[in-house]
Amino acid sequence: MEVVADTNYSSGTALKTLQAMGITGYIPNTGRFEYEKKDFIYHSGKDYYECRNGKKLKFSGISENDKRYTIGQKHCAGCPFRDTCIGDKKYMAVRVTIDKPYYDQMHIRMQSKKATRLMKIRQSTVEPVIGTLVDYLGMRKVYSRGLDQANKCLTIAAVAYNIKKM
C-alpha cells in the first residue's frame, strides 16, 4: 500500500507509523530537514560527527527530541576553519532529530522518478478540490461538534463539489 501526502504530514511520528504499518509513504520532508550537515560527516557505526578538520563531535545526549553532538573549543585550537565554525563559542554543537533515519529514508525515496510522478498526480487531482472546497464552499473550518457531524459536513461539501463539476 502507498500513501502520497504533502509536507504538512511530514513528522517523525507519521513516518514511524507508516513504516510500522508496512505502508510506503511519499511525503516531502519539511524545509527544516537537512539530509547532510554542511561541513560535517556522520559516522553511523560509532555514532559521531567529524568536522572538516578531522575532529570528532561526540554524542552528548538527547534534549527535546534532538540528539546532540559536541566538541569543546580546546579541541579546535589552531584549526584553519575555527572562525567560520566555532568562532568565540565555548563549544560547537550539531543537533539532529532522533527520527533522522526515517527522514533520510523519505528523502531518498522522494528523489525517485516514481515520487515525482505521484506528486504531480496528487497536485493535479487533490489540490484543486481542496482549493475549491476552501475558497468557494466555505470549508475553511467545520462548525460542528463530533466526528460524525464533521463527516456529514464534508460529505455534503463533496457532493456539492461533484454536482458543480457535472
Side-chain angles (χ1 to χ4, degrees), residues 8-142:
N8 291 329
Y9 293 94
S10 179
S11 71
T13 304
L15 300 178
K16 284 190 266 189
T17 302
L18 287 175
Q19 187 168 2
M21 295 175 75
I23 298 171
T24 303
Y26 292 90
I27 307 170
N29 290 323
T30 60
R32 235 184 64 175
F33 171 75
E34 294 177 83
Y35 181 62
E36 294 176 339
K37 292 286 184 186
K38 186 177 185 238
D39 300 329
F40 295 94
I41 299 168
Y42 181 65
H43 298 275
S44 59
K46 296 187 179 178
D47 193 27
Y48 72 92
Y49 276 88
E50 180 181 336
C51 75
R52 53 187 163 164
N53 197 32
K55 302 288 184 178
K56 289 183 181 180
L57 281 82
K58 296 181 181 174
F59 174 71
S60 61
I62 296 175
S63 66
E64 298 176 14
N65 230 14
D66 286 342
K67 289 176 79 175
R68 187 177 170 102
Y69 300 85
T70 58
I71 188 170
Q73 69 180 170
K74 66 181 178 183
H75 297 287
C76 300
C79 176
F81 308 108
R82 182 183 173 99
D83 292 339
T84 59
C85 184
I86 194 170
D88 294 334
K89 297 181 279 186
K90 292 181 181 178
Y91 60 89
M92 176 63 193
V94 172
R95 295 174 67 149
V96 295
T97 176
I98 58 173
D99 299 320
K100 186 170 178 12
Y102 298 100
Y103 285 104
D104 287 346
Q105 183 181 20
M106 189 59 66
H107 176 78
I108 292 167
R109 186 177 300 136
M110 291 306 294
Q111 305 304 310
S112 70
K113 288 181 181 180
K114 181 176 184 177
T116 304
R117 183 174 43 84
L118 288 173
M119 289 306 289
K120 283 183 180 177
I121 291 169
R122 184 191 174 284
Q123 289 169 348
S124 65
T125 57
V126 175
E127 294 299 331
V129 174
I130 292 172
T132 302
L133 290 173
V134 168
D135 292 338
Y136 300 112
L137 298 177
M139 293 304 298
R140 290 185 191 278
K141 186 173 179 181
V142 177

